Amino acid sequence: MPIDAVVTAVILAVMVAGLLREWLRTEFMMLASVGLLLLAGVLTPETAFAGFSNAACITIASLLVIAAGVQHTEALSVVDRFLPEKRGSGFTLTLRLMLPVALLSSVVNNTPLVAMLIPALQRWTAKMQIPASRVLLPLSYAAVLGGTITLMGTSTNLVISGLYLEATGAPLSFFDQTGVGLPVALVAILYFALIGHRFLPDTVRSEGAFAFTEERTEEYQFDVRLPGDSVLDGKTIEEAGLRALGDAFLSHIHRDGHLIGMVSPAEPLRAGDVLTFVGRHAALDRLLQMPGIGRAIPRVDDAHDAQLPLFEAVIAASSSLVGKTIRDVQFRDRFQGVVLAIFRKNERVLASLGRIELRPGDLLLIEALPGFDRRSNLLRDDFYLVAPCRREKKKPPREKASLALALFAGMVVTAALGWLPLVTAAFLAALMMMLTGCVPLAELRYRIDTGLILMIGASLAVGEAVRSSGLGAMAAEGVVALTAGQSAFWSLCILYGATMILTELLSNNAVGALMLPVAMDVAHRVDADPLPFAVAIALAASLAFATPFGYQTNLMVMSAGGYRTKDYLRSGLPLNAITMTTALGMIWWIWLR
């Protein structure tokens, strides 16, 4: 075994372990791996950094600007019209939601698309009085399915195209995967409309997270404190009127470093007690108006006596907050806001708010200065989505919505018809979005997701290391040996299955970068067309439905829909099997029969 292949295998094993255990954010873990490959001499500076000048990075940055322009002008508010005016069957609702979302996701980056549609769906479910959990997971699944229809559907497709270009000298075309991705999306949506929607839980009613209403049904955990001069000192819980609040209950008490659980109504209160309640956030406002009860956490310094707006924020999987407490990260100084409550997938945590280790998907109720949601949604480093509970009324520049749509449509048409390369069409459309004011220039530096760009550049470098070190060739030998005497189709099946499993655990782009060089070597060894192998990896690296971490949109809807991991398994495992069977069948029919 070549020494470069051994070194590469060890470094990649460390990288995979780091990604699984979340030692660092995904892009930093991959950059660290590139640094080690540089130090080991597996990559030269030229090959290590060539990925950052690859057309994939420029295309993705341009698409992010275009998506920002469409989002800023609310050009896609027309999607609301596809939702029925009256409650209908699960079949009708699922079709009317998933079909247009999948179509849009084929040409719009699916993360901002889902972020835009969550509030619209929450308002619609509030109007229809149905559980939001019945529509939010189908929203995520439809966005994932639509991303496999065309080249520009997801960043993963563009990573695969960049690596395919290096391996064969020709990039993937706009519609290379449409013959497979479109039937997969249609079959999956039909299954979900007929059967899959029956596995969805009824966990969150229409007033759930991100519905922008004053009364909500999620059970947040929040703290209040009895000050030193509290009039409740010495009174029992029942005497203090804290036993029957209706929309909240006293879960436990923190006193002098000790936890008092299973609190009795006869338990006497003491000054300095921190009382932890579970219930609606409206109960917190009422408790703070009662004599003898104060805030457990002081307000931000700039607040004075004004009533600050409340925001809900979903913690991202790559967030620097994960695994740390609110106290550890100095939340107040860092974000100019305070966390008043935490909602975690119907799970109660016996700890004060400041001592709870935060997890991906946690929903935080935050009191902050106006504009906190806009600032956080622009960066998206720590939160997938931030939405106000008390919305500031500010009209979007809808007079530019038609212009934004025209620029977007022009890019899609010119790229689809082959008049311009996708990178050129996307760059020109992004430039026009900026020059015409569809994207405010002041926000431009926030609109480029630098973490995504870094991850893609690093992914391309990792893919090059797998190829140039000989590790990909060795893995290909193993795959070919497993299917000795069989057709190329069975080798492709093994590659698809391995990629799909890895995708449920790791970053889609990282998996694509690892598996594409292996697939190209396998195609060469079995003397097959490399295109179906590239398409198989592109689909398998995106179609992840069985875990909340398989795709970032799955995690975005987790708290908003009150989903638990078992909900993803129950809904997603059959979808994984259906999409895999359909994709492999179409690949065989088009290329390998």
Side-chain angles (χ1 to χ4, degrees):
M1 179 183 292
I3 187 62
D4 280 357
V6 175
V7 171
T8 302
V10 171
I11 292 174
L12 293 185
V14 172
M15 183 188 79
V16 171
L19 291 172
L20 288 173
R21 301 181 65 86
E22 298 179 353
W23 293 339
L24 294 171
R25 289 173 52 170
T26 302
E27 63 268 27
F28 293 150
M29 195 68 229
M30 297 195 70
L31 285 171
S33 302
V34 173
L36 291 175
L37 291 167
L38 266 171
L39 285 174
V42 176
L43 292 176
T44 65
E46 290 76 17
T47 55
F49 303 123
F52 295 100
S53 62
N54 191 286
C57 283
I58 306 301
T59 304
I60 291 167
S62 300
L63 291 176
L64 290 175
V65 174
I66 294 166
V70 172
Q71 184 176 10
H72 182 70
T73 59
E74 293 194 359
L76 293 182
S77 58
V78 67
V79 176
D80 294 0
R81 301 176 187 174
F82 290 97
L83 297 173
E85 290 295 325
K86 297 180 180 180
R87 292 182 62 172
S89 65
F91 175 81
T92 302
L93 172 59
T94 304
L95 280 184
R96 293 190 65 168
L97 170 65
M98 295 187 75
L99 281 175
V101 170
L103 180 62
L104 283 172
S105 184
S106 68
V107 289
V108 178
N109 186 282
N110 45 29
T111 301
L113 177 64
V114 170
M116 284 187 285
L117 292 181
I118 285 177
L121 285 176
Q122 290 284 11
R123 288 191 293 270
W124 181 82
T125 53
K127 177 183 175 182
M128 295 291 107
Q129 296 184 337
I130 62 175
S133 57
R134 306 293 297 179
V135 298
L136 292 183
L137 198 55
L139 167 66
S140 175
Y141 286 173
V144 173
L145 289 165
T148 64
I149 295 176
T150 69
L151 177 61
M152 64 181 293
T154 71
S155 60
T156 305
N157 295 345
L158 296 170
V159 170
I160 297 296
S161 179
L163 292 170
Y164 186 77
L165 172 63
E166 293 178 2
T168 66
L172 296 176
S173 72
F174 193 88
F175 291 117
D176 269 341
Q177 61 196 72
T178 304
V180 180
L182 182 58
V184 166
L186 292 176
V187 170
I189 291 172
L190 183 61
Y191 157 77
F192 219 81
L194 290 171
I195 300 173
H197 72 274
R198 305 176 192 275
F199 297 118
L200 295 170
D202 292 339
T203 52
V204 176
R205 299 301 302 175
S206 56
E207 295 89 350
F210 304 111
F212 309 128
T213 59
E214 291 298 319
E215 292 296 328
R216 324 168 91 80
T217 58
E218 313 98 295
E219 289 191 337
Y220 285 107
Q221 176 175 314
F222 53 84
D223 295 344
V224 296
R225 182 185 296 274
L226 304 188
D229 57 351
S230 174
V231 297
L232 302 181
D233 187 10
K235 292 186 177 182
T236 66
I237 291 171
E238 188 167 15
E239 292 170 344
L242 300 178
R243 181 184 180 187
L245 296 176
D247 53 359
F249 68 91
L250 180 58
S251 173
H252 47 273
I253 299 175
H254 295 270
R255 178 180 295 159
D256 300 327
H258 300 287
L259 176 70
I260 303 174
M262 300 295 291
V263 182
S264 165
E267 176 71 34
L269 298 170
R270 295 182 187 175
D273 282 353
V274 175
L275 313 181
T276 298
F277 289 85
V278 175
R280 301 180 188 177
H281 75 68
L284 174 59
D285 293 332
R286 294 202 311 275
L287 283 168
L288 293 177
Q289 294 172 6
M290 295 175 62
I293 294 180
R295 301 169 62 93
I297 306 171
R299 300 172 66 145
V300 291
D301 295 338
D302 300 24
H304 301 297
D305 295 327
Q307 183 185 47
L308 289 176
L310 294 177
F311 302 92
E312 290 176 319
V314 180
I315 295 181
S318 60
S319 173
S320 60
L321 307 179
V322 172
K324 300 176 183 177
T325 67
I326 296 168
R327 186 176 302 172
D328 291 338
V329 299
Q330 299 180 322
F331 196 96
R332 171 197 305 278
D333 296 333
R334 181 173 172 183
F335 296 101
Q336 293 298 296
V338 295
V339 177
L340 300 181
I342 295 177
F343 172 71
R344 176 179 292 168
K345 297 173 292 184
N346 301 323
E347 174 186 344
R348 293 173 192 153
V349 185
L350 294 179
S352 62
L353 289 181
R355 298 182 182 275
I356 296 175
E357 285 195 2
L358 301 174
R359 298 179 186 173
D362 280 353
L363 181 65
L364 308 185
L365 183 68
I366 301 170
E367 182 184 65
L369 299 176
F372 171 74
D373 56 331
R374 292 192 297 275
R375 294 190 299 273
S376 299
N377 285 328
L378 287 175
L379 293 172
R380 284 219 178 99
D381 287 337
D382 291 307
F383 306 109
Y384 272 135
L385 185 64
V386 177
C389 296
R390 302 185 184 110
R391 177 182 283 276
E392 295 178 81
K393 299 296 183 181
K394 188 174 181 181
K395 289 186 177 182
R398 289 190 175 178
E399 67 277 2
K400 294 185 178 179
S402 298
L403 176 59
L405 277 179
L407 292 172
F408 168 69
M411 175 202 65
V412 173
V413 170
T414 55
L417 296 179
W419 295 345
L420 290 174
L422 177 58
V423 61
T424 304
F427 178 78
L428 292 176
L431 183 62
M432 290 303 298
M433 285 278 189
M434 292 182 283
L435 293 177
T436 56
C438 293
V439 179
L441 294 179
E443 297 181 4
L444 182 59
R445 64 191 181 98
Y446 301 115
R447 292 296 185 179
I448 305 297
D449 187 343
T450 54
L452 178 60
I453 300 301
L454 291 173
M455 180 167 59
I456 289 169
S459 297
L460 294 170
V462 168
E464 172 60 23
V466 172
R467 186 196 65 79
S468 62
S469 67
L471 182 62
M474 295 174 58
E477 286 180 7
V479 172
V480 173
L482 286 174
T483 58
Q486 304 296 322
S487 67
F489 176 70
W490 296 107
S491 297
L492 188 144
C493 289
I494 292 175
L495 290 169
Y496 189 105
T499 304
M500 183 181 67
I501 293 171
L502 286 174
T503 300
E504 295 288 3
L505 304 172
L506 303 175
S507 157
N508 312 78
N509 292 323
V511 172
L514 289 173
M515 296 302 297
L516 197 280
V518 178
M520 293 297 95
D521 272 314
V522 170
H524 176 71
R525 291 172 185 274
V526 298
D527 195 26
D529 182 358
L531 179 58
F533 285 80
V535 170
I537 299 301
L539 267 72
S542 292
L543 297 175
F545 307 105
T547 69
F549 309 103
Y551 208 92
Q552 59 186 354
T553 58
N554 290 350
L555 192 58
M556 287 174 67
V557 302
M558 189 174 192
S559 284
Y563 300 112
R564 291 173 288 182
T565 302
K566 67 178 184 180
D567 297 323
Y568 289 86
L569 288 171
R570 186 167 54 236
S571 300
L573 282 176
L575 209 54
N576 276 359
I578 288 169
T579 54
M580 178 178 179
T581 303
T582 306
L584 291 174
M586 292 305 303
I587 290 172
W588 174 83
W589 177 262
I590 295 172
W591 287 291
L592 300 177
R593 59 179 173 143

